[in-house]
Amino acid sequence: MAPATTPEAIDLARNYLATVPRLVPIVGHRYLPATPAPRGSPVSSVYQTDVIYYGADLVS
């Protein structure tokens, strides 16, 4: 169900965004999560709304 008011929608979005990992820019539109995974951090390609798994870690 959608929030009834704009302030409710903003609060809902802020609460959701607080749960996702922050991204650290590497080069261009390649990013690593700020919190490392147990076996390295996956590299993602993020361009506007297009998010692609780019590699298992920075080395690959």
Side-chain angles (χ1 to χ4, degrees):
M1 176 181 261
T5 67
T6 300
E8 288 176 357
I10 291 171
D11 285 341
L12 184 65
R14 282 188 178 139
N15 289 336
Y16 175 74
L17 287 174
T19 67
V20 298
R22 294 183 186 262
L23 298 178
V24 177
I26 301 302
V27 65
H29 47 87
R30 307 294 191 265
Y31 296 86
L32 289 172
T35 306
R39 294 187 180 182
S41 297
V43 178
S44 298
S45 172
V46 181
Y47 185 75
Q48 296 180 358
T49 61
D50 190 23
V51 180
I52 299 170
Y53 173 80
Y54 201 71
D57 54 26
L58 196 55
V59 174
S60 64

